[in-house]
Amino acid sequence: MGLAQKLFGTHSQHELKRIIPIADKVESYRGAMGKLTDDELKGKTKEFKDRLAKGETLDDILPEAYAVVREAGKRVLGMEHYRVQIIGGIILHQGRIAEMRTGEGKTLVCTLPAYLNALTEDGVLVVTVNDYLAKRDAEWMGQIHEFLGLTVGIVLHDLKDDERRAAYACDITYVTNNELGFDYLRDNMAIYKEQLVLRNLNYCIIDEVDSVLIDEARTPLIISGQSGKSTKLYELCDILARQLERGEYKGELTKMQVIMQEDVEEEGDFIVNEKDKVVNLTEQGIHKVEKFFHIENYADPENLEIQHNVTLALRAHNLMFRDKDYVVKDDEVLIVDEFTGRIMPGRRYSDGLHQAIEAKEHVKVKRESKTLATITFQNFFNKFEKKAGMTGTALTEEKEFREIYNMDVVEVPTNKPVARIDYEDAVYKTKAAKFRAVVNSVVESHKKGQPVLVGTITIETSEMLSNMLNKAGIQHNVLNAKFHEQEAEIVAEAGKHGAVTIATNMAGRGTDIKLDEESRAAGGLKIIGTERHESRRIDNQLRGRAGRQGDPGESRFYISLEDDLMRLFGQERMISLFNALKIDDDEQIEHKALSRAIETAQKKIETNNYGVRSHLLQYDQVMNEQREIMYAERKRVLDGESMRSSIMKMVTDFVEGVVNRCVGEDKDAKEWNYDEINELLLPTIPVEKVEYDEAVRTKNELVHILKEKAVKLYEDREAQFTEPEQMREIERVILLKVIDRKWMDHIDDMDQLKQGIGLQAYGQRDPVVQYKMMGYDMFDEMTSGITEDTVRLLMHIKVEQKVEREQVAKVTGTNKDDGPSVKGPVRRTDKKVYPNDPCPCGSGKKYKNCCGRQA
């Protein structure tokens, strides 16, 4: 046991000592609650709400409230919370993570803190990993809450806005992490307060918290719209990628050679580094690309787009695999979640990778997209007043939960001792030998009627094993991303006598595998892992499918020296040593050094992935501060606040900015550049032309006079409206439109900045620091742009125009990476005068009826 685990164990024991007295108090109410009639038990909800209104806290009423839920569970579902489930419920109420083994009934635990916190009427969100679990839990556990007089809502992928609003308005709402995140982003693109669907972010309980806050935190949530770029280049690069030959470095490439930038002999047109998931062209490859596109210098900045697309095409062909990373269904490329093995409809890889894969698979290449709104799960969930989580495996990521989410993990003991036996890994030289051993093991267990669950990492492996089992005459079920409609059904059957199930990774997570009596007698569920996953947590989750609630069971992983994990991250010297021992292919190798090497490889990858997530967070932190400012400003507009004082400040700030730019401190008034002042000021604020005036001697005097004129002009515009509120609404409409347009462009610019910022490292500069500095400059530039555009539009407003709010970009879908199209009015950013514009000569007529006639 490592030091971290020992410390973690003592931390959990220490915390449990403080929680047990509260659990004792909950249990002490059992008799009293049992004597109440149904109506009296239901009446407790109103009693608790009244007590809270009189000043009692949630902690004061916790023991009694939990006892009420426990009794309701017994009456409604025939399920009474175990003592360990009460302990789990207390941990969740405290805003922490309860680590509870698989099969300990986490779904039931959740009802306790959900009920207690819903009594404040601020709403409780129960976050799950997929629609199936959200629906199942809401309909199943929701019965307890409804019995006690609370309302329960479910948010599913295909709900309309009104249905979402109603679901979020309930006391307790079940929702998936993606739907919740996207609803938050969509709310911050709404143009009327009535369109908002979410309430305040008060308290959330995250089921499978490691999956949501760790695994999925590597990719931000993005709402996007189509950009106008052509898709032709993707198809051209795909043709080229098929013509290029994969090569490798001649001899061993040492780190020193890389650092010293020594020339290394290469063969082929490109080299693939699977470990870092990078593809690089060789010199020979660069010449071929130049010839193909008829360009002189591939490295030229003007060929940046070609460089980007060639790399994408090579990545699509050499690092992205069909039936592992994605599937092709109905002429569409669909991503497969590497953690759950599920298809994720609507999600797209960003930065053009999805289009490159579409070109590779010869399906219709969809247009690249432009980001309209984005947030990471880290920053989103940190917006909640209080958050809690439960999972079977949080131990290995305790550090990350503390540092990023400020949540500690408390391990809850199991209700019954775990009787599962976890065997040492069985290692073979080749993949073929490993799979033969897996099939033999399945056949052996099947003979005695023991149920077997075989876990695979890819769809491809699950289909290959399925063929092997068919040949061996073993009847079995396959559960992979292609058939996840019947997922829960297949998993629930997996514990039956003689059942054999092949499942990708975490498919069916959250569904109980119940054993029948014959299965128990045959040794319980047998878990076979066909490969170690990059993360130890996922391996532990697979093991945890067996041995629930003291059931018998066993688990073993089968590994070969050719597996990706061993090949890329194992110790080459050790692998070559085993190869040199001339061991027969079908002979099992058992050695402690091998198991250690596997653990070390997994730790390496986990550290690497943690680095990726904290890196992403560092970058998003810059955006987060800016996002908060913009969303707060939008909220003021939506809430119907008067923006007049903000607009007046914009007007005076703009005037001051123009004068500061054109007038030096020490120059005489005769030397001021009046032409430049007029050029910058008049198109935005059409006051009379600024000329030399003997009475105006100093820069401050000029600023003061121009400010007065600008404010007077604005007041004249206001006076044209009979109702002051009309002008206030126009201010809100225009401000909203400008903020949205500028913010969306800014997000896209920041995205472009992030793509290229890594190059700063070559100049011995920290890319994150540079990103922060440049990001702040760009934000200042954007706010100046908002000021100028808002003032210009308001200064040119006319009474006959009907001004209504409209969305700058219309979203037709959401993805976790890329996606939908933008439809919206065309915006004018040019300086051209149009026929219906006021004539620049100042006559007050339309341009087409005045100077425009001669034009």
Side-chain angles (χ1 to χ4, degrees), residues 747-762:
I747 288 176
D748 214 45
D749 293 344
M750 290 290 279
D751 224 24
Q752 301 293 323
L753 175 66
K754 191 161 73 179
Q755 301 297 336
I757 202 79
L759 298 171
Q760 295 283 343
Y762 291 112

Side-chain angles (χ1 to χ4, degrees), residues 225-350:
Q226 280 184 357
S227 71
K229 276 164 71 177
S230 161
T231 58
K232 197 79 201 140
L233 190 56
Y234 291 107
E235 286 153 19
L236 284 172
C237 288
D238 182 67
I239 294 165
L240 173 65
R242 291 170 194 275
Q243 296 171 9
L244 298 178
E245 285 174 40
R246 181 170 175 166
E248 52 191 34
Y249 294 114
K250 283 186 182 172
E252 195 66 35
L253 177 68
T254 64
K255 282 184 184 171
M256 189 50 75
Q257 283 175 307
V258 176
I259 293 164
M260 301 305 289
Q261 295 182 338
E262 287 178 23
D263 284 338
V264 183
E265 269 195 80
E266 308 158 324
E267 53 188 36
D269 299 322
F270 63 92
I271 288 159
V272 180
N273 177 346
E274 289 181 70
K275 208 179 210 175
D276 299 324
K277 298 197 163 57
V278 179
V279 182
N280 290 313
L281 283 171
T282 62
E283 209 165 314
Q284 178 183 312
I286 289 171
H287 290 315
K288 284 194 182 175
V289 175
E290 288 171 343
K291 197 174 167 190
F292 184 85
F293 283 106
H294 304 293
I295 54 179
E296 277 183 29
N297 180 10
Y298 176 72
D300 228 355
E302 67 193 40
N303 297 324
L304 206 60
E305 204 175 344
I306 289 176
Q307 293 167 27
H308 182 60
N309 282 51
V310 169
T311 308
L312 284 177
L314 290 172
R315 272 181 66 194
H317 278 276
N318 297 281
L319 291 169
M320 306 303 294
F321 303 105
R322 187 170 176 162
D323 284 346
K324 178 184 173 188
D325 301 298
Y326 63 89
V327 293
V328 179
K329 197 175 175 184
D330 305 330
D331 207 27
E332 214 180 329
V333 171
L334 301 169
I335 299 179
V336 173
D337 188 321
E338 63 170 309
F339 298 103
T340 61
R342 289 192 177 90
I343 286 180
M344 298 187 283
R347 248 172 77 172
R348 293 174 67 79
Y349 293 113
S350 59

Side-chain angles (χ1 to χ4, degrees), residues 486-531:
Q486 322 90 300
E487 189 174 291
E489 221 173 283
I490 294 174
V491 172
E493 301 282 298
K496 287 197 170 164
H497 182 66
V500 176
T501 314
I502 300 174
T504 37
N505 234 330
M506 286 320 298
R509 186 174 178 178
T511 310
D512 248 335
I513 300 180
K514 292 196 169 71
L515 302 178
D516 54 30
E517 279 314 310
E518 292 129 299
S519 299
R520 277 198 182 84
L525 183 65
K526 179 175 185 169
I527 300 284
I528 293 177
T530 55
E531 201 173 326

Side-chain angles (χ1 to χ4, degrees), residues 539-607:
D539 289 344
N540 292 339
Q541 280 160 8
L542 181 60
R543 285 194 204 275
R545 306 309 293 265
R548 294 171 166 227
Q549 289 294 340
D551 281 345
E554 56 182 272
S555 73
R556 173 170 257 168
F557 279 86
Y558 286 74
I559 292 163
S560 87
L561 299 179
E562 294 176 342
D563 287 353
D564 287 353
L565 189 75
M566 294 300 284
R567 199 165 51 80
L568 302 175
F569 296 93
Q571 292 149 343
E572 285 166 33
R573 207 177 302 147
M574 191 188 69
I575 292 171
S576 48
L577 175 73
F578 279 108
N579 284 332
L581 287 173
K582 301 273 188 297
I583 297 167
D584 186 44
D585 274 6
D586 286 313
E587 196 179 322
Q588 187 177 323
I589 313 166
E590 271 196 27
H591 201 287
K592 282 210 174 118
L594 269 174
S595 298
R596 268 204 308 274
I598 293 158
E599 287 270 318
T600 311
Q602 286 178 315
K603 279 179 191 164
K604 261 189 212 170
I605 300 172
E606 281 166 19
T607 310

Side-chain angles (χ1 to χ4, degrees), residues 443-455:
V443 171
E444 204 179 297
S445 298
H446 188 64
K447 275 181 193 161
K448 56 178 184 177
Q450 184 180 17
V452 183
L453 177 68
V454 184

Side-chain angles (χ1 to χ4, degrees), residues 610-640:
Y610 174 59
V612 170
R613 289 188 294 269
S614 58
H615 194 62
L616 173 76
L617 190 61
Q618 282 178 316
Y619 281 111
D620 195 57
Q621 215 50 54
V622 180
M623 278 299 285
N624 199 45
E625 289 161 20
Q626 299 180 359
R627 192 188 295 117
E628 296 283 314
I629 295 167
M630 299 308 291
Y631 285 179
E633 196 64 17
R634 276 190 109 260
K635 190 173 183 303
R636 283 184 61 205
V637 177
L638 288 188
D639 285 345

